[in-house]
Amino acid sequence: MLDVKGEEEEVGAMAWRGNISKSLKELRILLCQSSPASASTRTFVEKNYKDLKTLNPKFPFLIRECSGIQPQMWARYDMGVERCVNLDGMNESQILKSLEDLVKAGGATKA
């Protein structure tokens, strides 16, 4: 049996993914190609980039690889305002939650 209400809640909970381009001007993810500290960030990018880009086709998702760098996610908002989240030690779901928080913070500034 299909739980329609549960599906609606899940779709609603993920609706923020389609609002990235409305809330942010740019998203930069910095990571190392080989360090263990960036492993979860690399996996996050591999699993989520395609869906996020499909939902926000013209939005600039910038993935920057640099040897030895600590994984970070930078969100740029209106008027050059930027916020950074250190991704070191986070798992994929924590990284996704951090992105959601950055997107919602951008939406709150436009309200």
Side-chain angles (χ1 to χ4, degrees):
M1 185 171 182
L2 212 50
D3 182 9
V4 176
K5 184 178 179 188
E7 286 181 8
E8 288 175 4
E9 288 174 3
E10 185 176 323
V11 170
M14 293 299 207
W16 64 267
R17 289 176 172 230
N19 291 329
I20 292 174
S21 59
K22 296 174 185 169
S23 299
L24 306 177
K25 295 295 180 187
E26 174 185 278
L27 183 74
R28 291 186 312 275
I29 298 177
L30 286 63
L31 56 92
C32 176
Q33 306 94 316
S34 58
S35 77
S38 290
S40 293
T41 305
R42 287 191 303 272
T43 303
F44 171 80
V45 170
E46 291 168 2
K47 289 185 176 179
N48 293 281
Y49 178 83
K50 183 178 177 183
D51 289 337
L52 293 172
K53 191 63 178 177
T54 300
L55 291 169
N56 303 276
K58 295 184 179 184
F59 182 77
F61 288 100
L62 307 176
I63 311 301
R64 299 292 183 245
E65 297 176 323
C66 180
S67 182
I69 195 166
Q70 292 297 314
Q72 304 170 12
M73 183 165 29
W74 286 86
R76 186 167 55 88
Y77 302 97
D78 284 334
M79 299 176 35
V81 175
E82 292 190 339
R83 288 182 62 192
C84 177
V85 176
N86 183 346
L87 304 177
D88 191 13
M90 289 189 182
N91 62 35
E92 290 175 64
S93 62
Q94 291 169 321
I95 294 171
L96 189 63
K97 176 66 173 134
S98 294
L99 175 56
E100 179 181 3
D101 292 344
L102 290 171
V103 171
K104 288 182 177 178
T109 61
K110 293 187 178 211

